[in-house]
Amino acid sequence: MSHPTFFVKSYGCQMNMYDSKKIVSILENKGLRQNKDIETADLVVFNTCNIRDKAAHKLYSDIGRVNKHKKEKTIAVVGCVAQAENEEMFNKNKSIDIVLGPQSYHLLPQMIDDLKQNPKQLNTEFIVNEKFDYLSEQKRKQGVSSYLTIQEGCDKFCSFCVVPYTRGPEYSRPLISLLNEVQFLTDNGAKEIVLLGQNVNAYNISHHGRKINIADLIEEISKNKNLERIRYTTSHPINMSDDLIKLHATNEKLMPFLHLPVQSGSSNILKKMNRKYDTNLYRKIIEKLKAANSEIEISSDFIIGYPGETDDDFKKTLDLVSEIKFTQSYSFIYSARPGTKSSFEEDKTPLSIKKERLSILQDKLKDIQFEFNKTFCGKDIDVLIENQSTSNPEYFFGRTPFMQSVYIKSQELNPGDVKNVNISTCNHKNLYASC
Ligand code: SAH
Ligand code: SF4
Ligand code: F3S
């Protein structure tokens, strides 16, 4: 055995985390053992994210740090930075041995063996169906809330985004392999499945001549008796079909919470971003969702300081936030990514202004989240218990249907139970209860 122990470090989105779990299975099946710390592992796998400049930069400083500890390590860089930077990575950092794109993880065991013949191993091809055939076999127990990638890649080409280049075109996994994986996950304790995809609601396959979309898939999955909750993320507004919206009225396992990134509240900016909708269309989708299920809450991603964003554009974003009242959101300063369309656009806004806008937006989002959480104080709500807190074992952690984190002081809860609890206090991040 040339590499007895390994450590996998994840940098990216939920799909990146899901891939990391699969990589752990692949390596364990190869006979390697997971190591609890990065310094003493023989093989370190960096599963990278290229979405913003910062994540990509951090990789190189992390590689530098592990090198100092042990020289005879094997270093594999996989994921979206590997795909984007390709063989160039070997020049940037000599200690990298393997560069592997996100659609070829199944080749990792072979590449480790091939290091003996060739000390630099590279693969950045898009062989996505082969990947999923192989990964379907690498089943791995997750938790009460388990992820399931149903779709990968993106054909939308928003002007700022690297994903179409790093993950390739949209690909949906076959129904049977997904249902098998759901069965495996629920047999091993999953009560909630979070369907994942870069454009999860673009899921589309043909099964025995019948077209199956995400709404059909959710209906199929919800037949699993052990499953309590289903979520899906991330959705693109233009793929919010009427079928899917209607399902929020009829399917009780489908949670009334939806991550539907708008990015900006200015139709001008949305056009420049190539988002394929304007704010009116976005509003209409939200109206339809609320008409289907009045309880539904929305979260979003925002990009602040896109090239050419004016004070007025930014004000429109703030106005939309006040109107929709997004209950949880992520917001980032625009990062110019090499090769994307917007990276060629002139960007005159000083960073200080962008930072100021971001902080105004984040304060507003925080206030709205806090106000929303406060409406639960003194009320009863169903919480899916996920685990006992490791730092404070008097508390259990769970989530409401709206994804709020709840800490419950109790000695007798079981992970996997849905417990109706009375909320006593909250802050903008968490709800608290005891029972
Ligand atoms: N497919 C999803 C988003 C995937 S990327 C969608 O279309 O909504 C996750 C988030 O990263 C995006 O929603 C966006 O807000 C952010 N992001 C992507 N590229 C970025 C960039 N160049 N700079 C800053 N944030 C970016
Ligand atoms: Fe990126 Fe746009 Fe595709 Fe989302 S829809 S992954 S933001 S290109
Ligand atoms: Fe990052 Fe790739 Fe996910 S760029 S956000 S790890 S799809």
Side-chain angles (χ1 to χ4, degrees):
M1 185 72 49
S2 53
H3 301 292
T5 66
F6 68 92
F7 185 96
V8 181
K9 181 171 164 112
S10 241
Y11 290 80
C13 55
Q14 286 153 320
M15 190 176 293
N16 178 287
M17 311 270 188
Y18 173 89
D19 285 344
S20 290
K21 291 191 180 110
K22 293 283 187 182
I23 291 168
V24 169
S25 292
I26 293 173
L27 295 174
E28 282 179 347
N29 288 346
K30 192 179 158 51
L32 279 76
R33 279 178 302 116
Q34 198 168 3
N35 207 47
K36 63 178 184 326
D37 63 48
I38 198 164
E39 279 83 15
T40 53
D42 300 297
L43 165 69
V44 177
V45 180
F46 292 102
N47 191 9
T48 57
C49 174
N50 199 30
I51 204 88
R52 283 171 290 274
D53 205 29
K54 248 191 204 152
H57 270 145
K58 192 161 183 299
L59 167 72
Y60 288 102
S61 62
D62 285 353
I63 295 177
R65 212 169 309 135
V66 296
N67 267 343
K68 280 188 202 131
H69 290 276
K70 197 175 176 210
K71 284 199 184 70
E72 66 276 23
K73 256 186 204 343
T74 297
I75 292 183
V77 179
V78 307
C80 292
V81 176
Q83 186 68 41
E85 296 191 3
N86 232 303
E87 69 261 34
E88 184 54 29
M89 296 206 97
F90 295 126
N91 298 331
K92 278 196 179 169
N93 191 309
K94 299 277 178 255
S95 57
I96 298 173
D97 306 293
I98 296 174
V99 172
L100 178 60
Q103 307 306 21
S104 325
Y105 293 138
H106 55 292
L107 302 177
L108 187 57
Q110 187 60 49
M111 291 169 89
I112 293 170
D113 289 343
D114 290 349
L115 280 172
K116 287 179 213 112
Q117 282 87 50
N118 183 349
K120 298 287 169 196
Q121 290 289 321
L122 169 78
N123 196 305
T124 50
E125 280 169 45
F126 291 130
I127 31 184
V128 73
N129 46 354
E130 226 178 78
K131 165 187 171 180
F132 279 117
D133 285 348
Y134 182 84
L135 292 190
S136 297
E137 302 310 313
Q138 312 290 316
K139 294 197 176 70
R140 190 176 176 79
K141 206 172 138 181
Q142 295 185 46
V144 166
S145 177
S146 294
Y147 290 140
L148 176 65
T149 293
I150 65 165
Q151 179 279 341
E152 265 206 44
C154 181
D155 300 335
K156 308 258 183 326
F157 290 91
C158 300
S159 56
F160 52 81
C161 182
V162 292
V163 172
Y165 309 100
T166 61
R167 292 271 169 173
E170 286 177 6
Y171 170 83
S172 298
R173 284 178 66 187
L175 183 65
I176 298 299
S177 111
L178 294 176
L179 295 180
N180 284 341
E181 199 161 334
V182 170
Q183 190 63 47
F184 172 85
L185 292 168
T186 54
D187 286 349
N188 285 284
K191 296 287 175 182
E192 174 178 274
I193 298 280
V194 184
L195 305 177
L196 293 182
Q198 266 94 29
N199 287 287
V200 75
N201 55 346
Y203 180 84
N204 204 315
I205 52 148
S206 175
H207 180 72
H208 300 310
R210 192 184 139 214
K211 288 242 167 255
I212 306 242
N213 62 19
I214 188 173
D216 305 317
L217 176 68
I218 292 172
E219 283 286 68
E220 249 343 283
I221 289 177
S222 63
K223 288 181 190 156
N224 183 309
K225 296 228 166 33
N226 293 324
L227 199 59
E228 301 274 354
R229 293 179 169 187
I230 301 174
R231 303 180 187 276
Y232 56 99
T233 194
T234 295
S235 295
H236 192 290
I238 63 159
N239 294 120
M240 276 320 289
S241 69
D242 287 345
D243 278 4
L244 182 56
I245 293 176
K246 219 169 76 196
L247 210 60
H248 280 278
T250 56
N251 189 310
E252 290 194 348
K253 293 188 180 178
L254 188 56
M255 289 295 100
F257 178 81
L258 180 62
H259 187 56
L260 192 65
V262 67
Q263 311 297 353
S264 168
S266 156
S267 292
N268 233 342
I269 295 293
L270 290 174
K271 190 148 196 271
K272 288 189 186 171
M273 287 178 165
N274 191 28
R275 285 295 287 182
K276 304 174 183 30
Y277 55 85
D278 60 11
T279 50
N280 284 337
L281 181 59
Y282 188 84
R283 283 189 178 92
K284 267 203 196 105
I285 296 164
I286 303 291
E287 262 170 40
K288 279 203 222 170
L289 279 161
K290 297 244 175 191
N293 182 345
S294 59
E295 272 205 318
I296 215 158
E297 295 295 340
I298 310 292
S299 75
S300 179
D301 296 341
F302 296 92
I303 294 182
I304 293 305
Y306 184 86
E309 182 190 72
T310 62
D311 278 339
D312 187 53
D313 292 320
F314 176 62
K315 191 180 164 297
K316 286 184 172 135
T317 299
L318 292 179
D319 291 346
L320 191 74
V321 167
S322 305
E323 184 187 326
I324 309 279
K325 297 203 167 47
F326 299 96
T327 57
Q328 280 179 31
S329 291
Y330 301 93
S331 41
F332 316 93
I333 288 184
Y334 166 79
S335 166
R337 307 306 292 127
T340 58
K341 191 157 172 268
S342 63
S343 67
F344 301 101
E345 281 178 41
E346 199 179 9
D347 186 6
K348 284 190 192 146
T349 316
L351 185 62
S352 57
I353 302 245
K354 295 185 182 186
K355 282 188 173 162
E356 198 185 322
R357 285 181 189 160
L358 183 71
S359 135
I360 294 170
L361 174 72
Q362 290 185 335
D363 283 348
K364 192 175 188 82
L365 289 166
K366 212 163 147 185
D367 286 349
I368 291 173
Q369 196 174 349
F370 194 15
E371 288 308 311
F372 179 64
N373 283 352
K374 279 186 206 162
T375 64
F376 290 81
C377 285
K379 293 207 181 120
D380 296 338
I381 181 96
D382 280 346
V383 176
L384 173 60
I385 311 300
E386 292 190 16
N387 50 50
Q388 189 162 12
S389 161
T390 38
S391 55
N392 193 345
E394 285 186 336
Y395 284 86
F396 283 81
F397 171 82
R399 287 190 189 271
T400 69
F402 310 103
M403 277 296 270
Q404 294 145 297
S405 305
V406 190
Y407 287 91
I408 307 166
K409 196 169 182 185
S410 172
Q411 277 158 12
E412 53 191 25
L413 288 173
N414 295 313
D417 285 354
V418 176
K419 182 89 183 162
N420 193 264
V421 299
N422 188 269
I423 301 300
S424 49
T425 60
C426 72
N427 53 34
H428 81 274
K429 276 199 200 139
N430 307 314
L431 304 178
Y432 298 90
S434 49
C435 66

